Amino acid sequence: MLAMYMALIDDESDKEKFERLYNTYETMMKKLANSILHNTALAEETVQDCFLKLAMTITEVPDVPSKRAKAMITVMVKNKARNNLELEHYDVVVPTEDDDFISDSLADNVATAVGYEKMLQAVKELDFTYRDIIIYKYLFGFSAKKISEMDKIIGLGNALVDVLATLKDDTLLDEMGLPKGSMQLIDDAKLQQINAKFSQMKTHLATGGSAGNTILGLACLGAGTGFIGKVGNDHYGDFFRENLRKNNIEDKVLVSELLPSGVASTFISPDGERTFGTYLGAAASLKAEELSLDMFKGYAYLFIEGYLVQDHEMILHAIELAKEAGLQICLDMASYNIVAGDMDFFSLLINKYVDIVFANEEEAKAFTGKEPEEALEIIAKKCSIAIVKVGANGSYIRKGTEEIKVSAIPVKKVMDTTGAGDYFAAGFLYGLTCGYSLEKCAKIGSILSGNVIQTIGTTISGERWDEIKLNINRILAE
């Protein structure tokens, strides 16, 4: 195998560097295989160091596309390993200790930290001779399941595009009649009024919507995801759907020819608090009869945002179809004023249908009239898992008689709290699909929420995602 690769490299210095790193890699692979088999821990630094060095070398070798190599997953293994694995996709390979060594237990303990479809597409674009030189830094310890077997999650929500503006003070909120920290539905006239103000300010565009944010966070962690919503046949609609495509989120979005896409005008106060003036447009025109059972097949969880409660018939039909397809139902309560305005329907959903409830302390209080810990106890009696988020103080989680509190990660400066709760849900659900404990699920959620509030909007850079994944690996190694 080494000789085959060496024959592809002309430059002698590259050959020497490659051989050295290849030998380092093979030694590390054997250690890893033994570690997995005997349930012992391999130092995270060892794995990271080998992969970093190897990745740098491989991407410098002539003819190996560096961008693809950095974006892809891993391994250099003997071709024979593929034939011994009973996996759906032949491109998924695992390290071997020797020519004859391979086992299902090893396969089950090796997985990737990016979406499988991303990897598959990137691999297919490579020349065949390079398919065993696929490097990714975070292969090990990130998931205990093969990607092909991980539970998939589909979101149902308002397909919105966020237009974000940072305020010098809160005067404009008063001028627009928008209570700080709330989400207010606005009409076309109010939207035009806001647009007139925004035209004089620096704004930032990002895909939004509560469920959309959660699904995006999950997709960036490598989970199998999909999204159901509705957009207009316009620039914002194209922007929203293109973002789904880029992140390998299954697009189940419908397109309205009559209404423009929904827009969330987002005002970011100096303290990072965000206030939304939301024009729903096409997003609110999704109807029960447009949903089908096939939309939900192949998924394990349906994540619904509470902002959809304006259409009771549509939500109930979605839940009925999801239950028929065997999905568990997750509900994010959305906003305290939304909960207070439709208490009876929220009570019906949580008492009768919902398995997992996410709420912040204001939403929990609006629903129960109680402070976080008491509210958690009340909500947990109505569902399987209840989560109450308390901002910088962390989160409370309860399942049956098990209750835990997890701290938020320390953050030096909060830039924008947009999507904090959505990304917490993404991290928590990712952990749940991987079979981690409630505490680890919540810690992963805290890592995601703590990072998204340090950026404007909900688009996290690739470099920050790398850091997030490293921090998750540290949590999993505890």
Side-chain angles (χ1 to χ4, degrees):
M1 179 66 72
L2 176 58
M4 185 186 82
Y5 292 127
M6 295 289 279
L8 298 172
I9 304 169
D10 295 321
D11 187 275
E12 286 300 318
S13 64
D14 279 330
K15 280 189 178 183
E16 181 181 347
K17 187 162 37 174
F18 183 88
E19 183 176 9
R20 186 176 67 252
L21 269 297
Y22 184 96
N23 291 333
T24 301
Y25 175 84
E26 288 229 306
T27 301
M28 189 267 288
M29 286 294 97
K30 290 180 181 180
K31 288 181 181 178
L32 179 70
N34 285 322
S35 173
I36 292 172
L37 283 179
H38 298 98
N39 294 316
T40 57
L42 187 70
E44 182 185 350
E45 291 74 19
T46 302
V47 177
Q48 290 171 9
D49 187 57
C50 289
F51 269 87
L52 284 168
K53 287 179 181 176
L54 189 61
M56 286 188 288
T57 298
I58 296 300
T59 55
E60 290 171 5
V61 173
D63 300 323
V64 179
S66 61
K67 289 185 179 178
R68 290 177 187 163
K70 289 177 182 176
M72 283 191 265
I73 321 188
T74 322
V75 285
M76 248 186 283
V77 299
K78 299 174 177 66
N79 283 326
K80 188 175 180 181
R82 286 200 185 96
N83 301 323
N84 293 330
L85 276 176
E86 295 179 359
L87 296 180
E88 183 180 355
H89 303 287
Y90 79 92
D91 298 272
V92 177
V93 290
V94 299
T96 63
E97 186 179 19
D98 55 55
D99 283 348
D100 299 318
F101 174 83
I102 197 69
S103 72
D104 289 338
S105 63
L106 180 59
D108 287 340
N109 281 280
V110 179
T112 60
V114 300
Y116 175 76
E117 292 303 326
K118 284 183 184 178
M119 178 272 284
L120 185 60
Q121 185 59 40
V123 170
K124 286 182 175 177
E125 290 176 5
L126 282 183
D127 223 62
F128 182 78
T129 50
Y130 291 118
R131 290 186 186 178
D132 283 335
I133 319 179
I134 302 166
I135 307 305
Y136 189 74
K137 292 178 289 185
Y138 311 108
L139 178 66
F140 306 105
F142 197 72
S143 171
K145 294 185 179 181
K146 297 189 290 289
I147 289 295
S148 58
E149 293 182 358
M150 285 178 63
D151 289 335
K152 295 172 65 179
I153 302 177
I154 189 162
L156 174 65
N158 288 317
L160 302 174
V161 173
D162 289 346
V163 182
L164 303 107
T166 302
L167 306 178
K168 293 180 179 179
D169 55 48
D170 295 330
T171 305
L172 186 57
L173 296 180
D174 296 332
E175 190 178 329
M176 293 291 109
L178 299 172
K180 183 177 179 179
S182 70
M183 191 290 290
Q184 300 291 319
L185 296 179
I186 61 174
D187 58 17
D188 185 68
K190 177 67 75 173
L191 176 64
Q192 298 310 318
Q193 186 183 3
I194 292 173
N195 284 345
K197 293 291 184 181
F198 275 8
S199 67
Q200 304 167 32
M201 303 169 66
K202 183 178 179 180
T203 57
H204 173 74
L205 210 63
T207 56
S210 178
N213 290 337
T214 296
I215 293 301
L216 177 59
L218 279 158
C220 289
L221 288 177
T225 56
F227 183 81
I228 302 170
K230 199 166 186 178
V231 297
N233 186 12
D234 53 27
H235 168 68
Y236 285 141
D238 292 342
F239 178 80
F240 189 92
R241 299 188 73 184
E242 173 61 17
N243 197 60
L244 295 182
R245 186 196 64 77
K246 282 196 310 184
N247 289 283
N248 291 304
I249 299 167
E250 191 172 359
D251 182 353
K252 295 179 181 290
V253 172
L254 301 168
V255 179
S256 170
E257 298 294 338
L258 302 175
L259 292 168
S261 297
V263 178
S265 302
T266 309
F267 301 81
I268 304 166
S269 295
D271 61 0
E273 182 65 87
R274 79 274 192 253
T275 304
F276 298 100
T278 304
Y279 173 76
L280 292 175
S285 68
L286 181 64
K287 299 300 179 186
E289 58 268 21
E290 294 178 292
L291 302 175
S292 67
L293 183 62
D294 285 343
M295 287 180 167
F296 301 93
K297 288 181 177 178
Y299 292 90
Y301 295 90
L302 170 64
F303 182 86
I304 303 173
E305 64 178 67
Y307 291 117
L308 290 177
V309 295
Q310 72 273 3
D311 191 335
H312 295 184
E313 181 185 2
M314 191 271 290
I315 285 190
L316 290 173
H317 187 53
I319 289 174
E320 288 165 2
L321 291 172
K323 288 289 188 183
E324 185 178 345
L327 280 68
Q328 291 191 60
I329 310 300
C330 314
L331 175 69
D332 186 283
M333 283 191 161
S335 179
Y336 68 88
N337 54 318
I338 299 292
V339 175
D342 211 340
M343 183 71 76
D344 290 342
F345 189 59
F346 271 99
S347 295
L348 170 69
L349 292 178
I350 294 170
N351 279 312
K352 192 172 180 180
Y353 301 106
V354 175
D355 300 288
I356 303 170
V357 174
F358 293 90
N360 64 27
E361 56 188 315
E362 291 85 8
E363 294 151 9
K365 188 169 187 176
F367 185 67
T368 65
K370 303 294 184 181
E371 296 304 315
E373 290 185 76
E374 287 185 81
L376 178 76
E377 186 176 354
I378 293 170
I379 297 170
K381 288 178 180 177
K382 304 173 186 290
C383 62
S384 176
I385 301 175
I387 301 100
V388 176
K389 300 159 291 182
V390 287
N393 293 318
S395 58
Y396 295 96
I397 301 93
R398 187 178 178 95
K399 179 181 182 181
T401 58
E402 180 185 3
E403 182 175 332
I404 60 169
K405 183 181 187 300
V406 171
S407 300
I409 67 170
V411 174
K412 290 182 180 179
K413 180 175 174 57
V414 176
M415 298 291 293
D416 171 16
T417 58
T418 304
D422 306 332
Y423 270 68
F424 178 92
F428 187 92
L429 290 173
Y430 179 81
L432 204 62
T433 65
C434 292
Y436 301 140
S437 67
L438 290 181
E439 182 177 12
K440 287 187 175 178
C441 290
K443 285 182 176 180
I444 295 171
S446 293
I447 289 171
L448 263 66
S449 61
N451 275 273
V452 77
I453 63 176
Q454 296 179 66
T455 188
I456 299 295
T458 56
T459 303
I460 296 177
S461 69
E463 292 78 9
R464 188 176 283 273
W465 274 116
D466 285 347
E467 184 180 339
I468 287 170
K469 290 167 186 176
L470 278 172
N471 288 332
I472 290 175
N473 279 340
R474 293 189 181 100
I475 293 297
L476 300 182
E478 291 178 352

